[in-house]
Amino acid sequence: RNRVKSVLDELFENSPVLKKIKRGEAVELEELTQLAMKVETRDPSLRLNQLLIQFPNESKRLDLAIRQVIGVDREKVQELFIDFLAKYPGLNAHQVRFLDMLQQYIAEHGSIKINKLWEKPFTVLNNEGIDGIFKREEQIDDLLELITNSEFKAADVG
């Protein structure tokens, strides 16, 4: 992951396709092909299509695998939570902190596996993870649905 991220970071500033992926925008196959050639020029032993093995996703899309390496714009992630925050305006400090951690995780990793919500770093605030932070079942259900139905849900394999 670090090697791939390093090469992609070097290319990022001059790569419209990487910027589109980070913003969560659609990319064309031709754009991905050109990106793959640039990556191989930078590091001949690195093949972008191998990312689908290391970072699988249900739709087998290379752009989603790349997003898991470079992350996604924080603002794009925050947009996902606007309705949830509007529905539950009285959240306590731990709940707000949990949501902030969740948004940060998604921004850094490009996606999240649902089972991660019961593991570190989400067990730092409460060892029960999401269940210990949100006491109302409706809030947990809404949060899980939000992630499950978002473009930031990672496949549960791999």
Side-chain angles (χ1 to χ4, degrees):
R1 181 173 201 253
N2 290 335
R3 190 172 121 219
V4 174
K5 183 163 177 29
S6 175
V7 171
L8 294 176
D9 284 348
E10 289 174 19
L11 296 172
F12 187 82
E13 193 59 40
N14 297 313
S15 175
V17 68
L18 283 174
K19 291 177 182 179
K20 285 171 72 173
I21 291 170
K22 191 159 183 83
R23 288 190 305 262
E25 298 174 5
V27 294
E28 301 293 325
L29 179 58
E30 179 61 30
E31 292 175 302
L32 289 171
T33 301
Q34 290 175 2
L35 176 61
M37 289 188 314
K38 288 178 183 177
V39 167
E40 289 177 25
T41 299
R42 186 72 61 154
D43 185 340
S45 65
L46 192 60
R47 302 284 184 264
L48 277 186
N49 61 350
Q50 294 296 311
L51 289 180
L52 286 171
I53 296 169
Q54 296 173 328
F55 302 99
N57 58 76
E58 292 171 0
S59 54
K60 298 182 183 358
R61 290 180 32 203
L62 181 57
D63 59 324
L64 296 181
I66 293 170
R67 187 188 299 162
Q68 290 184 58
V69 175
I70 67 172
V72 68
D73 284 337
R74 175 91 174 172
E75 289 177 14
K76 179 80 172 166
V77 175
Q78 288 173 333
E79 289 174 13
L80 178 68
F81 290 84
I82 289 173
D83 291 338
F84 183 86
L85 291 169
K87 185 174 181 179
Y88 303 108
L91 296 176
N92 67 40
H94 282 331
Q95 291 168 329
V96 171
R97 178 70 183 123
F98 185 91
L99 292 175
D100 188 53
M101 289 172 56
L102 177 57
Q103 291 176 54
Q104 182 66 33
Y105 185 92
I106 293 170
E108 288 178 12
H109 297 92
S111 65
I112 187 164
K113 293 180 181 181
I114 295 297
N115 64 345
K116 188 74 178 162
L117 298 174
W118 289 271
E119 300 172 0
K120 286 187 180 184
F122 302 105
T123 55
V124 171
L125 297 173
N126 185 296
N127 64 359
E128 294 178 34
I130 190 173
D131 291 328
I133 298 294
F134 293 94
K135 299 300 182 188
R136 290 177 46 199
E137 201 65 36
E138 176 188 11
Q139 291 174 323
I140 295 171
D141 291 345
D142 284 351
L143 197 51
L144 293 177
E145 183 178 336
L146 182 146
I147 294 167
T148 301
N149 294 329
S150 82
E151 60 190 286
F152 303 117
K153 177 189 171 274
D156 289 325
V157 296

